[in-house]
Amino acid sequence: MASKKLGQPVPLLYLAIDSNNDIYLAGFNHGCDQYSYCEAKFGSNITITLGGGFVAKARSSGTWEWATRISPVYNGQSWTTVMDIALHTGGDLTIVGDEYIRRLDSSGTERWNVTNSAHHRSISVDSVGSAYVTGLLTGSLSFENIH
């Protein structure tokens, strides 16, 4: 299970299960900022340092495969929150949060990242890979096709 140094639990906010029964977790390692050291541990050999959003994958057997910290959107930001995750049929996943949409491959490596001024709250992906995002928007925003 994910744990935070100093004995405080890491909140796991979002969960998705793929066709192999592997589990993807997303959450937020709160209470940490750019000036304090803390870590989230996944099993005995995967550690994410600093606070902020994260995504982790556990195999159906219960072993942790990978975990990745979701880096801040802008320089000077100390953390980023993951608001939702959606799995694609090919093993990739897309995550959304305040002012970003990111796609990760099946190993947790970022494929692309789009930032804008929208507050993304939820995402769903259909069987052909089209993503549907909901959230809040003030002002104007241009959307483009991203694959």
Side-chain angles (χ1 to χ4, degrees):
M1 195 67 195
S3 64
K4 181 178 170 184
K5 193 173 182 173
L6 305 176
Q8 295 177 325
V10 174
L12 302 174
L13 303 175
Y14 302 97
L15 174 126
I17 300 173
D18 68 15
S19 60
N20 297 320
N21 289 323
D22 295 337
I23 300 169
Y24 298 81
L25 303 170
F28 179 71
N29 193 3
H30 66 84
C32 302
D33 59 30
Q34 61 192 0
Y35 305 108
S36 63
Y37 176 82
C38 62
E39 61 188 23
K41 293 182 103 29
F42 299 86
S44 60
N45 58 359
I46 301 174
T47 302
I48 301 174
T49 57
L50 299 176
F54 65 86
V55 178
K57 179 181 179 181
R59 298 302 245 164
S60 60
S61 63
T63 58
W64 293 102
E65 185 169 329
W66 55 260
T68 187
R69 177 178 182 255
I70 305 304
S71 300
V73 175
Y74 302 108
N75 288 336
Q77 253 186 329
S78 59
W79 49 268
T80 299
T81 303
V82 178
M83 297 304 295
D84 200 7
I85 59 176
L87 297 177
H88 297 262
T89 54
D92 288 1
L93 60 149
T94 301
I95 59 172
V96 296
D98 283 349
E99 302 181 350
Y100 74 89
I101 303 171
R102 294 183 188 181
R103 185 158 178 173
L104 307 178
D105 67 17
S106 60
S107 300
T109 304
E110 186 176 285
R111 293 187 59 190
W112 52 257
N113 177 15
V114 175
T115 59
N116 55 43
S117 60
H119 300 281
H120 309 100
R121 294 294 183 250
S122 182
I123 183 168
S124 290
V125 178
D126 65 19
S127 61
V128 296
S130 297
Y132 302 89
V133 178
T134 64
L136 308 168
L137 174 65
T138 57
S140 61
L141 179 66
S142 297
F143 291 91
E144 57 187 85
N145 292 328
I146 303 170
H147 304 281

